[in-house]
Amino acid sequence: MRIDPRQIPDGGLTLSGSLPVVDYDLPPGETQGWDKIRYDLHLVRTGKEVTITGTLSSDFKITCSRCLDFIPWNLNIKDFCQVLQVEEDSLLDLTPLIREDIILALPLAARCELDGAGRCPYSGRVFTPSDRDDFAEKRRATVWRDLDRLKTEN
Ligand SMILES: [Zn+2]
């Protein structure tokens, strides 16, 4: 997303719309249907500086680290804020800044919300309390057990 600082009027400029995810070189990760990033930004120019504040949001599906199904995810950045220096009225490139904020806002391990009975609303699978929080732990434990087994076999 490039902005011409000469087009920012004295009272500031409000921009909103959506950006294609493909232009942002985001890690594909375990997502599905991630095609756009909505933005709502306000730009204010003060001399050689442009302050950009606003929000970014996106809806897509992401793999639940518990049941490995795709679950709906809403990524929401409520406090996007950047200050850029204007250099000889060249275009301001917001792409790397937007990209970075989005990467930071991606969940490390997305998880579905289980209902009171421990049922995943998407996969319908029921998790007992011991399954609920230590899925990653268990996977790790399995890896170690398999390694141990390899060692003893050899
Ligand atoms: Zn789930």
Side-chain angles (χ1 to χ4, degrees):
M1 182 184 200
R2 283 157 181 269
I3 288 157
D4 186 342
R6 288 166 297 191
Q7 286 175 353
I8 304 173
D10 287 344
L13 179 68
T14 298
L15 296 172
S16 59
S18 59
L19 305 162
V21 166
V22 287
D23 292 351
Y24 283 75
D25 189 27
L26 291 163
E30 315 206 303
T31 62
Q32 203 177 57
W34 193 10
D35 55 358
K36 48 180 188 273
I37 303 159
R38 290 184 302 276
Y39 63 90
D40 207 329
L41 301 173
H42 190 66
L43 291 83
V44 176
R45 181 171 180 174
T46 336
K48 290 262 169 213
E49 259 178 19
V50 174
T51 304
I52 304 138
T53 52
T55 60
L56 299 170
S57 67
S58 205
D59 290 300
F60 48 88
K61 288 186 170 182
I62 195 162
T63 306
C64 167
S65 64
R66 178 163 32 221
C67 55
L68 308 179
D69 276 326
F70 281 103
I71 59 171
W73 198 260
N74 170 252
L75 184 144
N76 218 332
I77 299 168
K78 292 195 181 84
D79 50 1
F80 183 79
C81 180
Q82 300 286 342
V83 178
L84 296 178
Q85 298 296 320
V86 177
E87 282 161 33
E88 309 209 354
D89 287 318
S90 59
L91 296 182
L92 301 172
D93 190 4
L94 296 188
T95 302
L97 306 170
I98 290 175
R99 178 175 185 269
E100 197 169 304
D101 267 34
I102 288 187
I103 288 174
L104 291 174
L106 282 171
L108 287 175
R111 280 188 183 184
C112 56
E113 291 274 339
L114 298 180
D115 68 10
R119 188 186 306 274
C120 166
Y122 307 104
S123 66
R125 283 172 58 192
V126 175
F127 293 84
T128 61
S130 62
D131 291 332
R132 285 182 198 180
D133 298 308
D134 57 7
F135 184 77
E137 284 296 317
K138 271 198 182 148
R139 279 238 295 240
R140 219 169 287 145
T142 315
V143 168
W144 286 115
R145 198 191 56 211
D146 292 346
L147 278 176
D148 282 345
R149 206 173 283 160
L150 272 178
K151 267 187 234 152
T152 41
E153 277 169 14
N154 296 328

